[in-house]
Amino acid sequence: MEFSKEEFKKEVTNNLKVLFRRSIEDASQVQLFQAVAYAVKDYIVDMWMETHKQYEKQDAKTVYYLSMEFLMGRALGNCMINLKAYKEIREALEELGIDPDVIEDTEPDAALGNGGLGRLAACFLDSLSSLGYPAYGCGIRYKYGMFEQKIENGYQVEVPDNWLKNGNPFEIKRAEYAVEVKFGGYVKMVRDAVSGRDRFVQEDCQSVRAVPYDLPVVGYGNNVVNTLRIWDAEAINNFNLDSFDKGDYQKAVEQENLARTICEVLYPNDNHMAGKELRLKQQYFFVSASIQSAVAKYMKNHDDIRKLHEKVCFQLNDTHPTVTVAELMRILLDDYFLEWDEAWEVVKKCCAYTNHTIMAEALEKWPISLFKALLPRVYQIVEEINRQFENMLKEKYPGNGEKIKQMAILYDGQVRMANLAIVGGFSVNGVAALHTEILKKQQLRDFYELWPEKFNNKTNGITQRRFLLHGNPLLAEWVTDKVGDGWITDLPVIRGLVPYADDAEAREEFMKIKYQNKLRLTKYIKEHNGIDVDPNSIFDVQVKRLHEYKRQLLNILHVMHLYEKIKENPAMEFYPRTFIFGAKASAGYRRAKAIIKLINSVGDVVNNDPLVAGRIKVVFIENYRVSNAEWIFAAADVSEQISTASKEASGTGNMKFMLNGAITLGTMDGANVEIVEEVGAENAVIFGLSADEVISYENNGGYHPRAIYERDSEIHRVLDRLVDGTYSAGNPQLFRELYDSLVDVDQYFILKDFRSYEEAQKQIEARYRDREGWARSAILNVACCGKFSSDRTIEEYVKDIWHLEKVTVTM
């Protein structure tokens, strides 16, 4: 559609009058943002409707991407970019006297996700739309997201992220597609009057109404608008007067309370049974609602449920939505009266599972007692799936109880959700080449030996439209000037930058752009942290979810080591460094929160010591999220990707940094392996144990961290600083748990890798001193990132798993 600035300006001013009875001059920033957002949405709606008309007209197969998280960030800028009207809309706003930067910054980040899992889902939706493939994203409309992170006295404090307090102008409530979701009660078999068959019904249960809110996902310049459907929960009966009159006041508002709690927060603390129950309710709630909706949509235009797989594919994004297998069986058996074998064949052709972790504790397992009580009919179905699967295993591996132990869905009082997904699906994929090989050889070896044809790799990717075109406009313009704008929809085109790595003038241009982006982040840090940082220093950045295996602790221990070295020898040669961290820790993850406190405590000491002034700064960026991540990626010199080898499934932050010209400092883990393959080992800095070495230590023993602590005086000194009050005046034992975890166990091989990491950091400094060589490597990182577009990943899913056809939308 052709964009008209004049029509757009009229729409904005009209929205202010109609919605708020305000003019531009007397409207608040929030009102101005909403007036602009509604104008953009109105521009999108016709394309949205036409897209779905074309899907129906062509009877297009659709993928339903089921995920607990969709870390979408701010919608306005993304829509402006993908409408190819970013410049025009900004000009229109400026002509109205409205600051477009203020408008974009006024929008809250949509609190629908937390880490890489949710951002990956958002990138995939962007690529699906930009490539013209029919898709729905399906998730939950969280009221408060995970949380907004505040740092108070160095500690993480979680406060509600009330992102919906002013409404969301981009969403549309679709009450006509509401469905009922049931919990608890008991299952009774009854004779169906119409079919004469026995069927199962759930009685004396709690029910909520799942109501969808649709958000547009705009494709880049192709008129395609797919849908992110997020489900809210409403009470079917808000108030039970009979229970109230009997004095049972809690029972009177039971349904209202249930509906409210289901959608309040992402990942409620599950350190207690109530938290586990709420998490399971959330997962079943959005899965059941999504599948009911998808099946109803299919049956609207088709009359044979047995052919559902021809038009529908459910992609399960990690273990959270894997109850899909049993819920789809329930719908086919109880609502469409298929026989078991018929229904099972349909399910096995509809469900595909993406594994995002090799860590056993992250492969979800539910206590059978909880699962059975909360989802009684679904549990019956899981029992039967498990019974038939175990019988098959006993026939194939007679007398091999170890196979049952490893592969059964129900075992040792638990429902093992990853096993359910593998048994009930036709595809199992890892998300990086190394990760997939580890799954096949280690965690899921028995399943791979049984069904090798199910396993495949789909290395993750990111959308260049969000993380370069929008997030780093200076570099995006430079890239386009050098190689044209084809990279926006075909990222491998960016390889045309390779010759410019050897062009002195291009290198100088590139480094000036990096400096401007560092100035932008320097200003942000000053405004939000009150810390002055030197934009000429090395910006060494680690921003990601806080987990011990990601080894933020290794990073800050090395900072502590450098601090000791400089104090010991103030005249030592040292290039100034700014160490930038950003991370949220799960509310119940005590040790991760202690690491955040340590980072901030080290910063307080180092940043205020005149002995190291101008040499080291430590910054912890509060409430790390998509909107500030864009600025961080653009400014980074060094990309810290230092997870324990074999633990990171893929990582996508590594790709975002690479796209923005940062050099990877990392282990050979996850997608780091493929980054090094693409850019060359000489343009990254790699250290540490290999995945095979880590796995060998874990399986065979032989690692003794205390021996390193006792043998290496400098490591000994750094660890002692955790418990001598240097960073915890008045409470020397504040970091005792971190100290003990390193000296006694060191599960993630921090001490083992410490010296290798130190040497890698020395390489970084030596390389950075060679400005021309550094610029050359940085440009080559940008030039060699073509593989890591989510467009490529989606094309691989389409070819190997989903088998979709592109749809063209003309306006």
Side-chain angles (χ1 to χ4, degrees):
M1 281 179 69
E2 189 174 339
F3 179 80
S4 166
K5 277 203 298 184
E6 293 307 314
E7 288 299 318
F8 181 78
K9 288 192 289 186
K10 288 179 184 177
E11 188 76 18
V12 171
T13 54
N14 187 58
N15 285 344
L16 284 170
K17 291 176 184 176
V18 172
L19 296 174
F20 308 113
R21 297 183 181 179
R22 291 284 188 274
S23 65
I24 290 172
E25 292 71 28
D26 61 4
S28 69
Q29 287 185 11
V30 171
Q31 290 168 340
L32 287 172
F33 158 70
Q34 293 201 337
V36 172
Y38 278 115
V40 171
K41 186 176 81 171
D42 287 346
Y43 185 67
I44 291 168
V45 164
D46 287 343
M47 288 188 287
W48 202 358
M49 293 173 62
E50 186 60 30
T51 297
H52 287 273
K53 284 180 185 176
Q54 288 299 319
Y55 289 168
E56 287 203 12
K57 182 179 178 181
Q58 298 184 35
D59 196 17
K61 185 176 183 181
T62 302
V63 63
Y64 290 82
Y65 197 82
L66 276 61
S67 179
M68 283 287 285
E69 297 187 45
F70 288 92
L71 195 56
M72 304 300 289
R74 293 168 174 166
L76 178 59
N78 205 57
C79 289
M80 290 162 60
I81 286 283
N82 282 7
L83 289 169
K84 298 180 75 171
Y86 191 78
K87 179 182 176 183
E88 291 81 357
I89 290 175
R90 289 179 65 88
E91 288 174 353
L93 294 178
E94 288 169 351
E95 289 169 12
L96 289 170
I98 299 172
D99 186 335
D101 290 326
V102 171
I103 293 300
E104 283 200 61
D105 289 342
T106 300
E107 181 181 8
D109 283 54
L112 300 173
N114 172 43
L117 185 76
R119 186 53 235 174
L120 179 76
C123 286
F124 279 8
L125 292 187
D126 176 273
S127 288
L128 281 159
S129 292
S130 295
L131 294 167
Y133 290 118
Y136 278 86
C138 302
I140 296 177
R141 185 177 181 262
Y142 302 103
K143 303 292 192 302
Y144 303 112
M146 189 171 178
F147 54 79
E148 182 180 350
Q149 182 192 57
K150 299 289 187 184
I151 300 297
E152 298 181 3
N153 192 30
Y155 290 96
Q156 171 180 290
V157 176
E158 303 93 21
V159 300
D161 185 359
N162 193 7
W163 72 289
L164 287 170
K165 65 181 178 182
N166 295 311
N168 180 2
F170 287 101
E171 70 183 12
I172 298 177
K173 184 176 181 178
R174 305 301 301 270
E176 68 272 26
Y177 297 130
V179 296
E180 183 179 2
V181 179
K182 299 177 180 179
F183 302 99
Y186 63 92
V187 178
K188 185 170 79 171
M189 189 167 67
V190 299
R191 179 62 58 89
D192 185 76
V194 177
S195 67
R197 293 176 44 177
D198 291 333
R199 62 186 296 252
F200 295 88
V201 295
Q202 198 170 335
E203 295 197 343
D204 196 24
C205 54
Q206 294 179 315
S207 295
V208 296
R209 180 182 291 108
V211 180
Y213 286 72
D214 288 352
L215 294 165
V217 183
V218 181
Y220 182 79
N222 64 353
N223 299 319
V224 172
V225 183
N226 279 323
T227 301
L228 170 59
R229 174 161 286 180
I230 50 177
W231 295 91
D232 201 356
E234 296 180 356
I236 292 176
N237 296 306
N238 289 325
F239 187 75
N240 189 322
L241 183 60
D242 183 57
S243 295
F244 188 86
D245 288 341
K246 292 176 180 176
D248 192 345
Y249 304 128
Q250 187 170 350
K251 181 78 171 176
V253 292
E254 184 176 58
Q255 286 195 17
E256 187 174 355
N257 289 339
L258 172 62
R260 186 173 63 248
T261 56
I262 283 176
C263 295
E264 282 196 331
V265 298
L266 168 67
Y267 299 144
N269 188 348
D270 64 350
N271 289 350
H272 43 74
M273 189 54 70
K276 292 186 195 311
E277 180 178 334
L278 180 53
R279 280 205 185 193
L280 182 54
K281 282 179 178 175
Q282 287 183 328
Q283 292 178 14
Y284 181 69
F285 166 76
F286 95 88
V287 163
S288 178
S290 300
I291 297 173
Q292 288 186 61
S293 175
V295 171
K297 188 173 186 294
Y298 168 81
M299 290 303 292
K300 178 180 165 187
N301 297 310
H302 303 86
D303 59 7
D304 189 352
I305 193 67
R306 294 165 186 82
K307 295 181 180 179
L308 179 68
H309 65 280
E310 295 180 1
K311 298 299 177 184
V312 171
C313 182
F314 297 109
Q315 187 67 42
L316 316 181
N317 192 30
D318 215 6
T319 52
H320 309 125
T322 52
V323 72
T324 295
V325 171
E327 174 64 4
L328 182 54
M329 278 295 288
R330 183 196 67 78
I331 291 170
L332 297 175
L333 293 170
D334 297 350
D335 296 346
Y336 290 92
F337 308 115
L338 294 192
E339 298 293 341
W340 179 276
D341 290 345
E342 290 179 307
W344 187 235
E345 284 303 308
V346 174
V347 169
K348 288 193 298 179
K349 293 175 182 176
C350 283
C351 296
Y353 165 52
T354 300
N355 176 283
H356 283 277
T357 181
I358 58 99
M359 301 182 70
E361 63 267 28
L363 297 173
E364 281 189 312
K365 306 174 186 71
W366 297 109
I368 284 177
S369 57
L370 171 62
F371 197 99
K372 185 177 182 179
L374 196 63
L375 309 174
R377 176 57 179 147
V378 171
Y379 179 72
Q380 287 181 340
I381 291 167
V382 172
E383 267 193 321
E384 181 59 19
I385 295 171
N386 182 69
R387 185 189 69 80
Q388 293 192 17
F389 179 56
E390 284 195 15
N391 286 342
M392 185 267 282
L393 291 178
K394 288 172 184 175
E395 288 181 16
K396 189 171 183 64
Y397 308 106
N400 191 340
E402 187 63 24
K403 289 289 185 183
I404 302 293
K405 178 181 177 182
Q406 294 298 323
M407 302 176 74
I409 299 164
L410 301 177
Y411 193 85
D412 196 24
Q414 294 181 316
V415 184
R416 301 194 287 198
M417 302 306 290
N419 293 16
L420 176 64
I422 298 168
V423 172
F426 67 90
S427 172
V428 180
N429 73 277
V431 291
L434 175 63
H435 169 234
T436 300
E437 288 305 304
I438 292 172
L439 290 178
K440 293 193 292 189
K441 294 175 182 177
Q442 297 286 327
Q443 266 68 14
L444 303 179
R445 182 185 61 199
D446 293 307
F447 285 105
Y448 176 66
E449 290 175 355
L450 179 63
W451 292 311
E453 70 281 0
K454 287 190 180 187
F455 284 75
N456 59 95
N457 177 61
K458 299 289 174 282
T459 297
N460 283 342
I462 60 171
T463 170
Q464 64 271 23
R465 292 168 287 277
R466 166 69 82 168
F467 292 105
L468 182 52
L469 186 60
H470 183 264
N472 194 344
L474 293 177
L475 184 58
E477 185 177 356
W478 183 82
V479 171
T480 298
D481 180 63
K482 303 301 183 193
V483 301
D485 64 2
W487 63 270
I488 299 171
T489 53
D490 184 13
L491 190 56
V493 167
I494 210 168
R495 195 166 188 86
L497 290 174
V498 168
Y500 293 98
D502 293 317
D503 182 309
E505 184 179 354
R507 289 196 299 265
E508 184 62 26
E509 291 168 354
F510 182 90
M511 293 302 283
K512 285 181 178 178
I513 290 169
K514 179 65 71 172
Y515 182 75
Q516 289 301 315
N517 285 324
K518 291 170 81 170
L519 283 177
R520 181 174 69 167
L521 184 60
T522 295
K523 181 180 177 183
Y524 180 93
I525 290 169
K526 179 63 176 177
E527 290 175 354
H528 291 81
N529 294 73
I531 299 172
D532 291 303
V533 300
D534 179 6
N536 290 303
S537 65
I538 301 172
F539 276 23
D540 184 310
V541 184
Q542 187 177 20
V543 288
K544 54 182 72 244
R545 180 170 57 91
L546 202 305
H547 193 288
E548 289 168 272
Y549 84 82
K550 294 178 183 288
R551 299 203 297 190
Q552 287 94 342
L553 185 54
L554 172 60
N555 190 341
I556 197 62
L557 288 173
H558 177 255
V559 174
M560 293 160 59
H561 173 62
L562 288 177
Y563 178 54
E564 294 289 341
K565 299 284 280 185
I566 294 173
K567 286 200 302 178
E568 193 174 58
N569 180 15
M572 70 178 280
E573 189 174 351
F574 184 81
Y575 199 97
R577 298 281 190 93
T578 300
F579 294 95
I580 299 171
F581 297 83
K584 289 183 179 180
S586 295
Y589 194 169
R590 186 183 66 253
R591 195 173 293 171
K593 294 171 79 170
I595 294 170
I596 289 177
K597 171 59 176 172
L598 176 63
I599 293 167
N600 284 295
S601 296
V602 171
D604 287 343
V605 172
V606 171
N607 296 345
N608 293 293
D609 188 338
L611 192 64
V612 297
R615 307 183 83 180
I616 299 179
K617 287 289 176 71
V618 178
V619 176
F620 188 95
I621 292 181
E622 181 183 74
N623 203 36
Y624 173 62
R625 59 199 185 278
V626 174
S627 54
N628 58 23
E630 293 178 357
W631 288 25
I632 296 167
F633 296 138
D637 295 307
V638 179
S639 165
E640 294 262 4
Q641 307 299 329
I642 60 176
S643 56
T644 307
S646 79
K647 303 304 177 192
E648 186 72 83
S650 169
T652 52
N654 46 9
M655 303 169 191
K656 295 160 194 167
F657 281 112
M658 181 187 190
L659 179 64
N660 283 273
I663 291 175
T664 299
L665 167 60
T667 53
M668 289 297 269
D669 195 27
N672 291 354
V673 176
E674 292 161 80
I675 285 175
V676 171
E677 289 173 354
E678 294 296 309
V679 76
E682 68 278 11
N683 296 304
V685 179
I686 300 301
F687 75 97
L689 295 172
S690 69
D692 287 342
E693 288 171 326
V694 169
I695 291 168
S696 177
Y697 276 124
E698 290 175 333
N699 292 340
N700 305 315
Y703 173 50
H704 307 289
R706 184 173 288 276
I708 296 176
Y709 170 73
E710 293 174 349
R711 183 178 66 245
D712 189 318
S713 61
E714 290 185 334
I715 289 178
H716 194 293
R717 177 175 64 183
V718 168
L719 294 192
D720 282 356
R721 293 292 181 260
L722 293 172
V723 290
D724 68 4
T726 298
Y727 301 106
S728 55
N731 185 9
Q733 299 304 303
L734 180 62
F735 301 115
R736 167 63 65 175
E737 182 182 358
L738 297 180
Y739 171 91
D740 290 342
S741 74
L742 291 168
V743 173
D744 295 334
V745 180
D746 194 14
Q747 181 179 357
Y748 297 107
F749 300 91
I750 288 173
L751 302 190
K752 187 71 174 174
D753 277 350
F754 186 89
R755 286 302 188 182
S756 179
Y757 180 62
E758 180 190 24
E759 287 303 311
Q761 286 281 9
K762 289 177 181 177
Q763 285 187 50
I764 288 289
E765 178 171 331
R767 291 191 188 188
Y768 197 82
R769 288 180 183 276
D770 174 11
R771 179 182 172 89
E772 294 300 313
W774 185 272
R776 183 179 188 278
S777 285
I779 291 171
L780 287 173
N781 269 270
V782 179
C784 296
C785 68
K787 173 180 178 177
F788 302 109
S789 171
S790 50
D791 296 347
R792 185 268 313 155
T793 313
I794 289 301
E795 291 286 19
E796 291 180 3
Y797 274 99
V798 168
K799 177 177 177 288
D800 299 335
I801 301 174
W802 301 336
H803 306 297
L804 308 178
E805 293 184 3
K806 291 189 177 185
V807 173
T808 300
V809 179
T810 54
M811 299 294 294

